[in-house]
Amino acid sequence: MPLTQLVPAVASMLALAGTPAHGACDLTFSNQDSGGRVTTVTLRCEPDGGSHPHAARACAALEAADGDFDRLAGQDQPCPMIWQPVTATATGHWRGRPVQYSHTYPNRCEAAIRSAQVFDF
């Protein structure tokens, strides 16, 4: 193979090497409450799976937001007005792009409904 064809071929292989093998996403989510307790789950999409209790719903919400956690369509549902902050984090990959997200919600209910159930675990 001539060098002019080899360089693009190698570049394509290197780009694919950085893509998660599981499909659309390979993410780890954590919720840490104000007492320091941490709950962690995993999520894979296409096919949906991992230890997330609502994997299909979480994948659908992320797909609708194109993996942008700030664009997740929260639900219009009331939560108790109790201040028990929860810091939700996500790390991993969405369609080959690295993900590093963190947001503190007033409580677990708010974390679930404001994230379209992505942080509902």
Side-chain angles (χ1 to χ4, degrees):
M1 177 180 285
L3 186 58
T4 55
Q5 292 176 338
L6 183 61
V7 171
V10 170
S12 294
M13 287 188 297
L14 289 174
L16 288 174
T19 304
H22 297 294
C25 80
D26 190 4
L27 296 165
T28 300
F29 299 122
S30 295
N31 283 335
Q32 181 173 356
D33 66 21
S34 57
R37 291 175 294 274
V38 178
T39 305
T40 302
V41 298
T42 59
L43 178 69
R44 288 186 306 278
C45 301
E46 295 178 15
D48 302 345
S51 61
H52 195 292
H54 314 289
R57 191 173 2 175
C59 287
L62 285 166
E63 180 66 34
D66 192 27
D68 183 346
F69 285 81
D70 291 322
R71 290 182 45 216
L72 288 170
Q75 300 157 319
D76 188 19
Q77 175 183 331
C79 282
M81 295 183 70
I82 299 171
W83 180 251
Q84 293 177 328
V86 172
T87 300
T89 61
T91 57
H93 290 88
W94 174 261
R95 299 206 182 277
R97 296 185 316 242
V99 170
Q100 189 74 33
Y101 176 82
S102 180
H103 185 81
T104 300
Y105 297 92
N107 56 49
R108 239 178 231 289
C109 177
E110 289 282 334
I113 67 164
R114 299 292 171 236
S115 69
Q117 308 285 312
V118 169
F119 290 108
D120 184 16
F121 53 87

